[in-house]
Coordinates of all heavy atoms in Angstrom, one line a residue:
A24 N -8.6 19.5 10.0 CA -7.2 19.3 10.2 C -6.9 18.2 11.2 O -6.1 17.3 11.0 CB -6.5 20.6 10.6
L25 N -7.7 18.3 12.3 CA -7.5 17.3 13.4 C -7.7 15.8 12.8 O -6.9 14.9 13.1 CB -8.5 17.6 14.5 CG -8.6 16.5 15.6 CD1 -7.3 16.4 16.4 CD2 -9.7 16.9 16.6
F26 N -8.8 15.6 12.1 CA -9.1 14.3 11.6 C -8.1 13.8 10.5 O -7.7 12.7 10.5 CB -10.5 14.2 11.1 CG -11.5 14.1 12.3 CD1 -11.8 15.2 13.1 CD2 -12.2 12.9 12.5 CE1 -12.6 15.1 14.2 CE2 -13.0 12.8 13.6 CZ -13.3 13.9 14.4
N27 N -7.6 14.8 9.7 CA -6.6 14.4 8.7 C -5.3 14.0 9.4 O -4.6 13.1 9.0 CB -6.3 15.6 7.8 CG -7.3 15.6 6.6 OD1 -7.1 14.8 5.7 ND2 -8.3 16.5 6.6
R28 N -5.0 14.8 10.4 CA -3.7 14.5 11.1 C -3.7 13.2 11.8 O -2.8 12.4 11.8 CB -3.4 15.7 12.0 CG -2.0 15.7 12.6 CD -1.8 16.9 13.5 NE -1.1 16.3 14.7 CZ 0.0 16.7 15.2 NH1 0.7 17.7 14.6 NH2 0.5 16.1 16.2
C29 N -4.9 13.0 12.5 CA -5.0 11.7 13.3 C -4.9 10.5 12.3 O -4.3 9.5 12.6 CB -6.3 11.7 14.1 SG -6.2 12.8 15.5
F30 N -5.6 10.6 11.2 CA -5.6 9.5 10.3 C -4.2 9.2 9.7 O -3.8 8.1 9.7 CB -6.6 9.8 9.1 CG -6.7 8.6 8.2 CD1 -7.4 7.5 8.5 CD2 -6.1 8.7 6.9 CE1 -7.4 6.4 7.6 CE2 -6.2 7.7 6.0 CZ -6.8 6.5 6.4
A31 N -3.6 10.3 9.3 CA -2.2 10.1 8.8 C -1.3 9.5 9.8 O -0.6 8.5 9.5 CB -1.7 11.5 8.2
H32 N -1.3 10.1 11.0 CA -0.3 9.6 12.0 C -0.7 8.2 12.5 O 0.2 7.4 12.8 CB -0.3 10.6 13.1 CG 0.4 11.9 12.7 ND1 0.7 12.9 13.6 CD2 0.9 12.3 11.5 CE1 1.3 13.9 12.9 NE2 1.5 13.5 11.6
R33 N -1.9 7.9 12.6 CA -2.3 6.5 13.0 C -1.7 5.5 12.0 O -1.4 4.4 12.4 CB -3.8 6.5 13.0 CG -4.4 5.1 13.2 CD -4.5 4.8 14.7 NE -5.4 3.7 14.9 CZ -5.0 2.5 15.2 NH1 -3.7 2.2 15.2 NH2 -5.9 1.5 15.4
H34 N -1.6 5.9 10.7 CA -1.1 5.0 9.7 C 0.4 5.2 9.4 O 0.8 4.9 8.3 CB -2.0 5.0 8.5 CG -3.4 4.5 8.8 ND1 -3.7 3.2 8.8 CD2 -4.5 5.2 9.1 CE1 -5.0 3.1 9.2 NE2 -5.5 4.3 9.3
G35 N 1.1 6.0 10.2 CA 2.5 6.2 10.0 C 2.7 7.1 8.8 O 3.8 7.1 8.2
G36 N 1.7 7.9 8.4 CA 1.9 8.7 7.2 C 2.1 10.2 7.5 O 2.5 10.5 8.7
S37 N 1.9 11.1 6.5 CA 2.2 12.5 6.7 C 1.0 13.3 6.5 O 0.1 13.0 5.7 CB 3.2 13.0 5.7 OG 4.4 12.2 5.7
F38 N 1.0 14.4 7.2 CA -0.1 15.4 7.2 C 0.4 16.7 6.6 O 1.4 17.2 7.0 CB -0.7 15.6 8.6 CG -1.6 16.8 8.7 CD1 -2.7 16.9 8.0 CD2 -1.2 17.8 9.7 CE1 -3.5 18.1 8.1 CE2 -2.1 18.9 9.8 CZ -3.2 19.0 9.1
I39 N -0.2 17.1 5.5 CA 0.3 18.2 4.7 C -0.6 19.4 4.8 O -1.8 19.3 4.9 CB 0.3 17.8 3.2 CG1 1.1 16.5 3.0 CG2 0.9 18.9 2.3 CD1 0.9 15.9 1.6
L40 N 0.0 20.6 4.8 CA -0.8 21.8 4.8 C -0.5 22.5 3.5 O 0.7 22.8 3.1 CB -0.4 22.8 5.9 CG -0.9 24.2 5.9 CD1 -2.4 24.2 5.9 CD2 -0.4 25.0 7.0
R41 N -1.5 22.8 2.7 CA -1.4 23.5 1.4 C -2.2 24.7 1.5 O -3.4 24.7 1.9 CB -1.8 22.6 0.3 CG -1.6 23.3 -1.1 CD -1.9 22.3 -2.2 NE -3.3 21.9 -2.3 CZ -3.8 20.7 -2.4 NH1 -3.0 19.7 -2.3 NH2 -5.1 20.5 -2.5
I42 N -1.7 25.8 1.0 CA -2.5 27.1 1.1 C -3.1 27.3 -0.3 O -2.3 27.4 -1.3 CB -1.5 28.3 1.5 CG1 -0.9 28.0 2.8 CG2 -2.3 29.6 1.4 CD1 -1.9 28.0 4.0
E43 N -4.4 27.4 -0.4 CA -5.1 27.5 -1.7 C -5.4 29.0 -1.9 O -6.5 29.4 -1.6 CB -6.3 26.6 -1.8 CG -5.9 25.1 -1.6 CD -6.8 24.1 -2.3 OE1 -8.0 24.4 -2.4 OE2 -6.2 23.1 -2.8
D44 N -4.4 29.7 -2.4 CA -4.6 31.2 -2.5 C -4.7 31.7 -3.9 O -4.0 32.6 -4.3 CB -3.4 31.9 -1.7 CG -2.1 31.4 -2.3 OD1 -2.0 30.5 -3.1 OD2 -1.0 32.0 -1.9
T45 N -5.4 30.9 -4.7 CA -5.5 31.4 -6.2 C -6.5 32.5 -6.4 O -6.5 33.1 -7.4 CB -5.8 30.2 -7.1 OG1 -7.1 29.6 -6.6 CG2 -4.8 29.1 -7.1
D46 N -7.3 32.7 -5.4 CA -8.3 33.8 -5.5 C -7.5 35.1 -5.0 O -7.5 35.4 -3.8 CB -9.5 33.5 -4.7 CG -10.6 34.6 -4.8 OD1 -10.2 35.7 -5.2 OD2 -11.8 34.3 -4.6
R47 N -7.0 35.8 -6.0 CA -6.1 36.9 -5.6 C -6.7 38.0 -4.8 O -6.2 38.5 -3.9 CB -5.5 37.5 -6.9 CG -4.1 37.2 -7.1 CD -3.5 38.1 -8.2 NE -2.6 37.3 -9.0 CZ -2.4 37.6 -10.3 NH1 -3.0 38.6 -10.9 NH2 -1.5 36.8 -11.0
E48 N -8.0 38.2 -5.2 CA -8.7 39.3 -4.5 C -9.0 39.0 -3.1 O -8.9 39.9 -2.2 CB -10.0 39.7 -5.3 CG -9.8 41.0 -6.0 CD -10.7 41.1 -7.1 OE1 -11.9 40.9 -7.0 OE2 -10.2 41.5 -8.2
R49 N -9.4 37.8 -2.8 CA -9.9 37.5 -1.5 C -8.8 37.0 -0.5 O -9.0 37.0 0.7 CB -11.1 36.6 -1.5 CG -12.3 37.2 -2.2 CD -13.5 36.3 -2.3 NE -13.9 35.8 -1.0 CZ -14.1 34.5 -0.7 NH1 -13.9 33.6 -1.7 NH2 -14.4 34.1 0.4
S50 N -7.7 36.5 -1.1 CA -6.6 35.9 -0.3 C -5.7 37.0 0.3 O -5.5 38.0 -0.3 CB -5.8 35.0 -1.1 OG -6.5 34.0 -1.6

Side-chain angles (χ1 to χ4, degrees):
L25 171 65
F26 282 72
N27 270 285
R28 193 181 131 122
C29 286
F30 181 73
H32 288 183
R33 172 86 163 97
H34 296 278
S37 305
F38 165 57
I39 304 166
L40 170 63
R41 181 173 72 231
I42 301 294
E43 300 209 326
D44 56 352
T45 56
D46 185 337
R47 251 194 221 152
E48 252 156 48
R49 294 180 56 231
S50 301

